[in-house]
Amino acid sequence: MSAVSSAAARPVDSGSLPWLIIAAGSIVAMFTFGPRSAMGFFQLPMLAETGWDRTTFGLAMALQNLCWGLGQPFFGAVADKFGTWRVLALSGLLYAAGLFLMAFANAPIWLHIGGGVLVGLGVASGSFGIVLSAFARNVAPEQRSFAFGIGTAAGSAGMFLFAPLSQGLISAYGWSDSLVYLGVLMLLVPFFAIPLRGNAASGRQSEMLYKQTIGEALKEALGHKSYLLLVSGFFVCGYQVAFITAHFPAYIGDIGIDARYAVIALALIGFFNIIGSLSAGFIGQRYSKPYFLALIYLARSVAVTAFLLLPQSPTSVIIFAIVMGLLWLSTVPPTNALVAIMFGTRHLGLLGGIVFLSHQIGSFLGVWMGGYLYDRFGSYDPVWWLGVALGVFAAIVHWPIEERRVLRPAMA
């Protein structure tokens, strides 16, 4: 037997990580999460020039989040079957088209189609669910939580980088040209995604797959109590983070704090999000993921309550941004890891996508209600306090989740 064939015959070292795949997926996550997390900076300059109200912009961002959620299970299933790279290449094209259309929108309908539907579908086909599913099938189960933390941290880095980048572009070139430049950047996604070729039948963990049709997988998941609790809890994460992403810059201005602190705050959220995501991946490998998730949601409610009740100042904005950054996407690694533990990787793109659909329904309501209730009452306070109550709800529903594989007939 040749040296090459001998090497091929040896089992893969479960302790090694596929760093090329992780690096490529992390860059894609950074690109796809970056621009959409900076949309709040475009709200005031766009509305000042067009004369539209905040409800109009809020509806576009709400549609973006809803299309992200609705598209996630579909694109996840397509990636499972036909390959991750094809879906990520489509993501770059959809994302760029949406930003271009948003840049030249001369009526609300084009803002809603471009910045809402197309950007939403672009994020859906290139976001965490797609990338982390590719990680899962190439990483040993005991290392998935850590790998998921790396991918999530990369998305956080996108938020950290694109917040000042977007604000700088707007200051230098205006909001319309800035969207065009961001759209051009999205056209790089298909090239960075090349190492992520392959579908659910490929990768290191393919030999462990449990054979199911999509219908069987859906029936099993939707009849599983812990999965349903996970779906309901992740709704809250979407509500909380999407509201802050879309409306925090405007809120900062409303309470009389200099607009530059909004840039600083979102950049800090992105930076500390990196730390929080990596830490969540590390903690999730060693401790109970459901209990950890419950504590994250409780901590968010405490942080928002303190921010609203204590005197608000540039200092309090910075402290709030640091705390929320640590908690921001720290829910993603343990949530995705729980889905993989429960059902394996065969339909992880689809089942993780359904969990994320719940997240994006929450995002839709958080963004839309932020604009609607502000226009109705002149204040964001009702949306903040509802988020506090939902955080407590999420902590309660995560506590009884069982962190174990679903019971199945004996596998051959």
Side-chain angles (χ1 to χ4, degrees):
M1 182 181 291
S2 68
V4 174
S5 60
S6 296
R10 289 196 297 268
V12 176
D13 177 13
S14 63
S16 63
L17 288 172
W19 287 110
L20 177 61
I21 291 173
I22 289 175
S26 295
I27 292 172
V28 170
M30 181 180 69
F31 269 78
T32 55
F33 196 75
R36 57 89 37 201
S37 66
M39 288 289 103
F41 293 114
F42 291 89
Q43 178 174 190
L44 296 183
M46 175 183 283
L47 299 186
E49 184 172 319
T50 61
W52 303 331
D53 58 19
R54 295 192 191 188
T55 301
T56 299
F57 186 87
L59 179 58
M61 297 302 102
L63 284 171
Q64 180 187 112
N65 283 284
L66 187 61
C67 289
W68 180 1
L70 291 172
Q72 186 86 49
F74 170 77
F75 289 120
V78 172
D80 288 339
K81 185 173 180 63
F82 297 106
T84 301
W85 180 81
R86 290 182 173 89
V87 174
L88 293 178
L90 178 63
S91 169
L93 298 176
L94 287 171
Y95 214 136
L99 291 172
F100 293 153
L101 190 58
M102 183 179 176
F104 299 106
N106 55 12
I109 184 64
W110 301 116
L111 170 64
H112 295 152
I113 293 174
V117 176
L118 289 178
V119 170
L121 293 176
V123 181
S125 52
S127 66
F128 295 120
I130 308 299
V131 171
L132 298 188
S133 294
F135 286 7
R137 62 175 180 263
N138 288 283
V139 175
E142 61 271 17
Q143 292 188 314
R144 281 182 191 146
S145 183
F146 180 63
F148 289 175
I150 294 173
T152 307
S156 309
M159 183 177 186
F160 173 67
L161 293 173
F162 277 83
L165 173 63
S166 298
Q167 185 61 58
L169 288 172
I170 292 170
S171 298
Y173 303 106
W175 65 269
S176 181
D177 287 349
S178 298
L179 289 170
V180 173
Y181 294 140
L182 293 180
V184 172
L185 282 178
M186 293 306 102
L187 294 176
L188 296 175
V189 168
F191 299 98
F192 286 115
I194 290 173
L196 296 170
R197 295 186 303 271
N199 61 9
S202 62
R204 300 188 191 188
Q205 306 301 316
S206 59
E207 70 280 3
M208 302 170 61
L209 295 178
Y210 180 74
K211 304 301 182 184
Q212 283 180 311
T213 65
I214 289 178
E216 290 169 342
L218 286 173
K219 182 179 180 181
E220 178 182 68
L222 296 178
H224 189 51
K225 177 183 176 182
S226 290
Y227 180 76
L228 295 178
L229 290 173
L230 193 66
V231 169
S232 63
F234 211 38
F235 165 90
V236 177
C237 181
Y239 177 95
Q240 293 172 331
V241 302
F243 164 68
I244 294 174
T245 298
H247 293 285
F248 198 60
Y251 177 77
I252 292 297
D254 291 344
I255 60 177
I257 295 176
D258 193 287
R260 64 191 175 95
Y261 283 97
V263 181
I264 295 171
L266 289 187
L268 285 172
I269 288 174
F271 177 77
F272 283 91
N273 197 3
I274 299 171
I275 299 173
S277 298
L278 289 172
S279 300
F282 181 82
I283 293 169
Q285 282 188 186
R286 289 160 176 79
Y287 302 100
S288 166
K289 296 175 185 64
Y291 293 169
F292 180 46
L293 285 166
L295 292 175
I296 290 172
Y297 286 109
L298 274 179
R300 285 185 181 179
S301 291
V302 171
V304 172
T305 299
F307 178 63
L308 295 178
L309 294 181
L310 295 175
Q312 292 176 319
S313 66
T315 301
S316 72
V317 168
I318 290 173
I319 294 172
F320 175 72
I322 291 172
V323 173
M324 287 303 296
L326 293 172
L327 303 171
W328 193 258
L329 292 180
S330 57
T331 58
V332 173
T335 297
N336 281 274
L338 280 171
V339 179
I341 288 170
M342 292 175 190
F343 306 108
T345 63
R346 176 66 183 88
H347 293 287
L348 183 58
L350 170 65
L351 300 180
I354 292 174
V355 176
F356 206 79
L357 171 59
S358 173
H359 181 284
Q360 293 311 104
I361 292 173
S363 297
F364 174 89
L365 290 176
V367 175
W368 176 75
M369 288 174 65
Y372 176 77
L373 293 179
Y374 180 90
D375 286 337
R376 186 174 179 85
F377 299 108
S379 171
Y380 285 119
D381 285 354
V383 193
W384 282 115
W385 287 114
L386 179 57
V388 170
L390 287 173
V392 176
F393 164 79
I396 293 171
V397 300
H398 277 89
W399 201 261
I401 290 175
E402 296 180 358
E403 186 178 343
R404 60 183 176 85
R405 183 185 293 269
V406 66
L407 295 177
R408 286 169 171 164
M411 291 186 292

